[in-house]
Coordinates of all heavy atoms in Angstrom, one line a residue:
L15 N 172.2 -171.6 -211.3 CA 172.2 -171.6 -209.9 C 170.8 -171.1 -209.5 O 170.5 -169.9 -209.7 CB 173.3 -170.7 -209.3 CG 173.4 -170.6 -207.8 CD1 173.8 -171.9 -207.2 CD2 174.5 -169.5 -207.4
E16 N 170.0 -172.0 -209.1 CA 168.6 -171.7 -208.9 C 168.3 -171.0 -207.6 O 168.9 -171.3 -206.6 CB 167.8 -173.0 -209.0 CG 166.3 -172.8 -209.3 CD 165.6 -174.1 -209.7 OE1 166.3 -175.1 -209.8 OE2 164.4 -174.0 -209.9
Q17 N 167.4 -170.1 -207.7 CA 166.9 -169.3 -206.5 C 166.4 -170.3 -205.5 O 165.8 -171.3 -205.8 CB 165.8 -168.4 -206.9 CG 165.1 -167.7 -205.8 CD 164.0 -166.8 -206.3 OE1 163.7 -166.6 -207.4 NE2 163.3 -166.2 -205.3
G18 N 166.7 -170.0 -204.2 CA 166.2 -170.9 -203.2 C 167.2 -171.1 -202.1 O 168.3 -170.5 -202.1
D19 N 166.8 -172.0 -201.2 CA 167.7 -172.3 -200.0 C 168.5 -173.6 -200.3 O 167.9 -174.6 -200.7 CB 166.8 -172.5 -198.8 CG 166.2 -171.3 -198.2 OD1 166.8 -170.2 -198.5 OD2 165.2 -171.3 -197.5
Y20 N 169.8 -173.5 -200.1 CA 170.7 -174.6 -200.2 C 171.2 -175.0 -198.8 O 171.6 -174.1 -198.1 CB 171.9 -174.3 -201.1 CG 171.5 -174.0 -202.6 CD1 170.8 -173.0 -203.0 CD2 172.0 -174.9 -203.5 CE1 170.5 -172.8 -204.3 CE2 171.7 -174.7 -204.9 CZ 170.9 -173.6 -205.2 OH 170.6 -173.5 -206.6
A21 N 171.1 -176.3 -198.5 CA 171.6 -176.7 -197.2 C 173.1 -177.0 -197.4 O 173.5 -177.8 -198.3 CB 170.9 -178.0 -196.7
L22 N 174.0 -176.4 -196.7 CA 175.4 -176.6 -196.7 C 175.8 -177.3 -195.4 O 175.5 -176.7 -194.3 CB 176.1 -175.3 -196.9 CG 177.5 -175.2 -197.4 CD1 177.6 -175.8 -198.8 CD2 178.1 -173.8 -197.4
S23 N 176.4 -178.5 -195.4 CA 176.6 -179.2 -194.2 C 178.1 -179.7 -194.1 O 178.7 -179.9 -195.1 CB 175.6 -180.4 -194.1 OG 175.8 -181.3 -195.1
I24 N 178.5 -179.9 -192.9 CA 179.7 -180.7 -192.6 C 179.3 -182.0 -192.2 O 178.4 -182.2 -191.4 CB 180.6 -180.0 -191.6 CG1 179.9 -179.7 -190.3 CG2 181.3 -178.7 -192.2 CD1 180.8 -179.2 -189.2
N25 N 179.9 -183.0 -192.8 CA 179.5 -184.4 -192.5 C 180.6 -185.3 -192.1 O 181.8 -185.1 -192.6 CB 178.9 -185.0 -193.8 CG 177.5 -184.4 -194.2 OD1 177.2 -183.3 -193.9 ND2 176.8 -185.2 -194.9
K26 N 180.3 -186.3 -191.4 CA 181.3 -187.4 -191.1 C 181.5 -188.3 -192.3 O 182.5 -188.7 -192.7 CB 180.9 -188.2 -189.9 CG 181.8 -189.2 -189.4 CD 181.4 -189.9 -188.1 CE 182.5 -190.8 -187.6 NZ 182.1 -191.3 -186.2
T27 N 180.3 -188.6 -192.9 CA 180.2 -189.4 -194.2 C 179.1 -188.7 -195.0 O 178.4 -187.8 -194.5 CB 179.9 -190.9 -193.9 OG1 178.5 -190.9 -193.5 CG2 180.8 -191.5 -192.9
A28 N 178.9 -189.3 -196.2 CA 177.8 -188.7 -197.0 C 176.5 -188.8 -196.3 O 175.6 -188.1 -196.7 CB 177.8 -189.4 -198.4
H29 N 176.3 -189.7 -195.4 CA 175.0 -190.0 -194.7 C 175.0 -189.6 -193.3 O 174.0 -189.7 -192.6 CB 174.7 -191.5 -194.9 CG 174.6 -191.9 -196.3 ND1 173.7 -191.4 -197.2 CD2 175.5 -192.7 -197.0 CE1 173.9 -192.0 -198.4 NE2 175.0 -192.7 -198.3
E30 N 176.1 -189.2 -192.7 CA 176.2 -188.8 -191.3 C 176.6 -187.3 -191.2 O 177.7 -187.0 -191.4 CB 177.2 -189.7 -190.5 CG 176.9 -191.1 -190.5 CD 178.0 -191.9 -189.7 OE1 178.0 -191.8 -188.5 OE2 178.7 -192.6 -190.4
K31 N 175.6 -186.5 -190.8 CA 175.8 -185.1 -190.7 C 176.2 -184.6 -189.3 O 175.6 -185.0 -188.3 CB 174.5 -184.4 -191.1 CG 174.6 -182.9 -191.3 CD 173.2 -182.3 -191.7 CE 172.6 -182.9 -192.9 NZ 171.3 -182.3 -193.2
Y32 N 177.2 -183.7 -189.3 CA 177.5 -183.1 -188.0 C 176.6 -181.9 -187.8 O 176.0 -181.7 -186.7 CB 178.9 -182.6 -188.0 CG 180.0 -183.6 -187.8 CD1 181.0 -183.8 -188.8 CD2 180.1 -184.4 -186.6 CE1 182.0 -184.8 -188.6 CE2 181.1 -185.3 -186.5 CZ 182.1 -185.5 -187.5 OH 183.1 -186.4 -187.3
Q33 N 176.6 -181.0 -188.8 CA 175.8 -179.7 -188.6 C 175.6 -179.1 -190.0 O 176.4 -179.4 -190.9 CB 176.7 -178.8 -187.8 CG 176.0 -177.6 -187.2 CD 177.0 -176.8 -186.3 OE1 178.2 -177.1 -186.2 NE2 176.4 -175.9 -185.6
S34 N 174.6 -178.3 -190.1 CA 174.4 -177.6 -191.4 C 174.0 -176.2 -191.2 O 173.5 -175.7 -190.1 CB 173.3 -178.4 -192.2 OG 172.0 -178.3 -191.6
V35 N 174.1 -175.4 -192.3 CA 173.6 -174.0 -192.4 C 172.9 -173.9 -193.7 O 173.0 -174.7 -194.6 CB 174.8 -173.0 -192.3 CG1 175.5 -173.1 -191.0 CG2 175.8 -173.2 -193.5
T36 N 172.0 -172.8 -193.7 CA 171.3 -172.6 -194.9 C 171.9 -171.4 -195.7 O 172.2 -170.4 -195.1 CB 169.8 -172.2 -194.6 OG1 169.2 -173.4 -193.9 CG2 169.0 -172.0 -195.8
V37 N 172.1 -171.6 -197.0 CA 172.6 -170.6 -197.9 C 171.4 -170.2 -198.8 O 170.9 -171.1 -199.5 CB 173.8 -171.1 -198.7 CG1 174.2 -170.0 -199.7 CG2 174.9 -171.5 -197.7
N38 N 171.1 -168.9 -198.8 CA 170.0 -168.5 -199.7 C 170.5 -167.9 -201.0 O 171.4 -167.0 -200.9 CB 169.0 -167.5 -199.0 CG 167.9 -167.1 -199.9 OD1 168.0 -166.1 -200.6 ND2 166.9 -167.9 -199.9
V39 N 170.1 -168.3 -202.1 CA 170.4 -167.7 -203.4 C 169.1 -166.9 -203.7 O 168.1 -167.4 -204.0 CB 170.7 -168.7 -204.5 CG1 170.9 -168.1 -205.8 CG2 171.9 -169.5 -204.1
P40 N 169.2 -165.5 -203.8 CA 168.1 -164.7 -203.9 C 167.4 -164.7 -205.3 O 166.3 -164.4 -205.5 CB 168.5 -163.3 -203.5 CG 170.0 -163.3 -203.7 CD 170.4 -164.7 -203.5
Q41 N 168.2 -165.0 -206.3 CA 167.7 -165.0 -207.7 C 168.4 -166.1 -208.5 O 169.6 -166.3 -208.3 CB 167.7 -163.7 -208.4 CG 169.1 -163.2 -208.6 CD 169.1 -161.7 -209.2 OE1 168.2 -161.0 -209.0 NE2 170.1 -161.5 -210.1
T42 N 167.7 -166.6 -209.5 CA 168.3 -167.6 -210.4 C 169.4 -167.0 -211.3 O 169.1 -165.9 -211.8 CB 167.3 -168.3 -211.2 OG1 166.4 -169.0 -210.3 CG2 167.9 -169.3 -212.2
I43 N 170.5 -167.6 -211.4 CA 171.6 -167.2 -212.3 C 171.8 -168.2 -213.4 O 172.1 -169.4 -213.0 CB 172.9 -166.9 -211.5 CG1 172.6 -165.8 -210.4 CG2 174.0 -166.4 -212.5 CD1 173.8 -165.7 -209.5
W44 N 171.8 -167.9 -214.6 CA 172.1 -168.8 -215.7 C 173.6 -168.5 -216.1 O 174.0 -167.4 -216.3 CB 171.2 -168.5 -216.9 CG 169.8 -169.1 -216.7 CD1 168.7 -168.4 -216.3 CD2 169.4 -170.4 -216.9 NE1 167.6 -169.3 -216.2 CE2 168.0 -170.5 -216.6 CE3 170.1 -171.6 -217.3 CZ2 167.3 -171.7 -216.7 CZ3 169.3 -172.8 -217.4 CH2 168.0 -172.8 -217.1
Y45 N 174.3 -169.6 -216.2 CA 175.7 -169.5 -216.7 C 175.8 -170.1 -218.1 O 175.8 -171.3 -218.3 CB 176.6 -170.3 -215.7 CG 176.7 -169.7 -214.3 CD1 176.0 -170.4 -213.3 CD2 177.4 -168.6 -214.0 CE1 176.0 -169.9 -212.0 CE2 177.4 -168.1 -212.8 CZ 176.7 -168.7 -211.8 OH 176.8 -168.2 -210.5
D46 N 175.8 -169.3 -219.1 CA 175.8 -169.7 -220.5 C 177.0 -169.0 -221.2 O 177.9 -168.5 -220.5 CB 174.5 -169.4 -221.2 CG 174.1 -167.9 -221.1 OD1 175.0 -167.1 -220.8 OD2 172.9 -167.6 -221.4
N47 N 177.0 -169.0 -222.5 CA 178.2 -168.4 -223.2 C 178.3 -166.9 -222.9 O 179.4 -166.3 -223.0 CB 178.1 -168.7 -224.7 CG 178.3 -170.2 -225.0 OD1 178.9 -170.9 -224.2 ND2 177.7 -170.7 -226.0
D48 N 177.2 -166.3 -222.7 CA 177.2 -164.8 -222.4 C 177.6 -164.5 -220.9 O 178.0 -163.4 -220.6 CB 175.8 -164.2 -222.6 CG 175.4 -164.3 -224.1 OD1 176.3 -164.2 -224.9 OD2 174.2 -164.4 -224.3
N49 N 177.4 -165.5 -220.0 CA 177.7 -165.4 -218.6 C 178.3 -166.7 -218.1 O 177.7 -167.4 -217.3 CB 176.5 -165.0 -217.8 CG 176.7 -164.8 -216.4 OD1 177.8 -164.3 -216.0 ND2 175.8 -165.3 -215.5
P50 N 179.6 -167.0 -218.5 CA 180.2 -168.2 -218.1 C 180.6 -168.2 -216.6 O 180.9 -167.2 -216.0 CB 181.4 -168.4 -219.0 CG 181.8 -167.0 -219.4 CD 180.5 -166.2 -219.4
R51 N 180.6 -169.4 -216.0 CA 181.1 -169.6 -214.7 C 182.6 -169.3 -214.7 O 183.3 -169.5 -215.7 CB 180.9 -171.0 -214.1 CG 179.4 -171.4 -214.0 CD 179.2 -172.8 -213.5 NE 180.0 -173.7 -214.4 CZ 180.2 -174.9 -214.0 NH1 179.9 -175.4 -212.8 NH2 180.9 -175.8 -214.8
Q52 N 183.2 -168.9 -213.6 CA 184.6 -168.6 -213.5 C 185.4 -169.9 -213.8 O 186.4 -169.9 -214.5 CB 185.0 -168.1 -212.1 CG 186.5 -167.7 -212.0 CD 186.8 -166.5 -213.0 OE1 186.1 -165.5 -213.1 NE2 187.9 -166.7 -213.7
S53 N 184.9 -171.0 -213.3 CA 185.6 -172.3 -213.6 C 185.6 -172.6 -215.1 O 186.6 -173.2 -215.6 CB 184.9 -173.5 -212.8 OG 183.6 -173.6 -213.2
D54 N 184.6 -172.2 -215.9 CA 184.6 -172.4 -217.3 C 185.6 -171.4 -218.0 O 186.3 -171.8 -218.9 CB 183.2 -172.1 -217.9 CG 182.2 -173.2 -217.4 OD1 182.6 -174.4 -217.2 OD2 181.0 -172.9 -217.4
K55 N 185.7 -170.2 -217.5 CA 186.7 -169.3 -218.0 C 188.1 -169.8 -217.7 O 189.0 -169.7 -218.6 CB 186.6 -167.9 -217.3 CG 185.3 -167.1 -217.6 CD 185.3 -165.8 -216.9 CE 183.9 -165.2 -216.9 NZ 183.9 -164.0 -216.0
D56 N 188.3 -170.3 -216.6 CA 189.7 -170.8 -216.2 C 190.0 -172.1 -217.0 O 191.2 -172.4 -217.1 CB 189.7 -171.1 -214.7 CG 189.6 -169.9 -213.8 OD1 189.8 -168.8 -214.4 OD2 189.3 -170.0 -212.6
G57 N 189.0 -172.9 -217.4 CA 189.3 -174.1 -218.1 C 189.7 -173.9 -219.5 O 190.5 -174.3 -220.2

């Protein structure tokens, strides 16, 4: 999950946007065997 700004939007279709917000990830997070994602733990 790389550091930076992610645009999160609600769309009518993949190409027609209603509105968006910016989500900032303040630092890069690596999800590996030492730090698995929750979805990997659940799987």
Side-chain angles (χ1 to χ4, degrees):
L15 182 63
E16 198 165 1
Q17 174 183 353
D19 289 335
Y20 291 69
L22 201 60
S23 63
I24 54 171
N25 291 25
K26 184 173 185 172
T27 69
H29 304 290
E30 295 178 74
K31 188 183 306 182
Y32 284 118
Q33 194 175 13
S34 67
V35 295
T36 300
V37 174
N38 181 267
V39 174
Q41 65 183 31
T42 297
I43 302 169
W44 285 96
Y45 298 104
D46 55 18
N47 293 334
D48 295 330
N49 180 37
R51 297 179 306 161
Q52 187 61 46
S53 57
D54 293 332
K55 292 178 194 175
D56 295 342

